[in-house]
Amino acid sequence: MKALITGSAGFIGSHLASALFERGHTIVLVDIVNGHDARDLFRDDETRYDAVFHCAAVAPHRSAIDNSPATVGAGCLELDAAMFAWAARTKPGRVVYFSSSAAYPIALQSQGLAVRLGEGHIRLDAPERPDAIYGEVKLMGERLAQAYRAQGGSVTVVRPFSGYGQDQSPDFPFAAFAQRARRREDPFTIWGDGTQVRDWIHVDDVVGAVLAAVEQDVDGPVNLGTGVGTSMTDLAKLFAAEAGYGPAFDYRTDAPAGVAHRVCVPYLMESFYVPEVSIEEGVRRALA
């Protein structure tokens, strides 16, 4: 297989690249941090790829989403629109579009509801308000994917929940917590009140599920998650216990914290891939 990965120097993109390389595929890597802007490729390149993994995005972490919404939203929308226009022209074998759990209605993610989010909770013909402009952009990306499919294109839409791993940027909470635990910080800082619940899925399982979906021609949309919720405070406690100390927790309620509860129904994913790495094992790997 000849595959293109955009955003190949990013967290998900770099892990996908490693997995595809290990499987013997030919891969073309494009990332702006390495001097290769995906928008230039989409404008000029006429190569037909067997698979395209579109991971390129602009700062998709909580701080940027809340504090620089125009930059994040406009940048991601530009990349997604250019990619689908290019795909319609060059007709790759299959496109993988990385949507996001941010596309789900925020009304279902409020304090006290504890709704597990299934793929059917998003109706592209009548979408409810998602999480910030970033969620709006991901909804538009899914609608572009729908239009591309209607024109005969093959596209897999995935909705990752809280992906994590030991080499993730500290702009994301899991990696930030790992750094604090390594330094044995006391007090241990947590953004928000600590009750925010997330569905943590290890990057190895994100990659494993994506490749299984491509191999089995799964169109999706499909949630990538475990169906298990862990609060920010409980995650901090796991890190502290693994690091062997008992800090106090400093809750920064003025910092960006996101929605109260975001956990998926993973049944569709589990029909072709079952996650292997628990959050406890992920914490152990991060501090090993």
Side-chain angles (χ1 to χ4, degrees):
M1 181 171 70
K2 183 175 184 178
L4 170 70
I5 303 176
T6 69
S8 58
F11 180 54
I12 299 297
S14 61
H15 282 267
L16 269 170
S18 295
L20 289 169
F21 181 77
E22 289 172 1
R23 295 182 182 203
H25 298 298
T26 300
I27 51 177
V28 175
L29 308 178
V30 177
D31 198 295
I32 197 166
V33 304
N34 295 327
H36 302 110
D37 193 325
R39 291 167 295 189
D40 294 335
L41 180 142
F42 296 146
R43 183 175 55 251
D44 301 326
D45 193 88
E46 299 298 325
T47 304
R48 186 186 184 280
Y49 294 91
D50 299 308
V52 176
F53 299 87
H54 181 53
C55 305
V58 176
H61 55 78
R62 190 78 251 171
S63 179
I65 288 170
D66 284 1
N67 295 322
S68 304
T71 300
V72 172
C76 290
L77 183 59
E78 182 183 10
L79 283 163
D80 292 352
M83 187 278 294
F84 277 114
W86 169 82
R89 187 174 77 246
T90 62
K91 297 179 174 57
R94 178 164 288 271
V95 170
V96 177
Y97 176 68
F98 282 81
S99 182
S100 170
S101 55
Y104 280 102
I106 57 172
L108 299 178
Q109 302 174 67
S110 303
Q111 190 75 40
L113 288 183
V115 174
R116 293 210 306 166
L117 301 167
E119 288 86 359
H121 280 125
I122 292 178
R123 291 183 53 195
L124 292 180
D125 59 340
E128 298 179 54
R129 182 185 173 194
D131 186 359
I133 289 178
Y134 180 70
E136 297 275 7
V137 168
K138 290 303 177 181
L139 283 176
M140 178 56 71
E142 291 199 24
R143 294 188 70 177
L144 288 169
Q146 187 181 58
Y148 174 69
R149 186 181 294 120
Q151 294 177 346
S154 296
V155 55
T156 297
V157 175
V158 294
R159 296 173 182 160
F161 277 63
S162 294
Y164 73 92
Q166 51 266 40
D167 58 338
Q168 192 174 30
S169 163
D171 289 324
F172 296 85
F174 183 91
F177 282 17
Q179 283 192 353
R180 289 165 196 161
R182 290 190 202 102
R183 294 192 293 257
R184 299 174 67 86
E185 289 187 6
D186 191 358
F188 191 113
T189 300
I190 299 175
W191 287 11
D193 64 8
T195 63
Q196 316 96 284
V197 173
R198 295 292 181 268
D199 188 335
W200 305 95
I201 178 168
H202 195 273
V203 64
D204 289 354
D205 287 320
V206 172
V207 170
V210 167
L211 295 183
V214 170
E215 290 166 0
Q216 298 182 42
D217 293 328
V218 175
D219 289 344
V222 56
N223 288 335
L224 303 185
T226 65
V228 177
T230 304
S231 73
M232 294 295 178
T233 294
D234 286 341
L235 180 61
K237 288 179 178 178
L238 286 173
F239 270 111
E242 186 66 23
Y245 78 120
F249 296 116
D250 176 21
Y251 296 102
R252 302 288 178 85
T253 56
D254 59 337
V259 296
H261 189 275
R262 181 173 287 166
V263 179
C264 82
V265 176
Y267 300 150
L268 177 56
M269 181 192 72
E270 289 175 347
S271 69
F272 60 87
Y273 182 86
V274 177
E276 299 177 355
V277 183
S278 68
I279 187 62
E280 293 82 5
E281 172 62 20
V283 167
R284 283 192 290 271
R285 292 186 186 185
L287 294 186

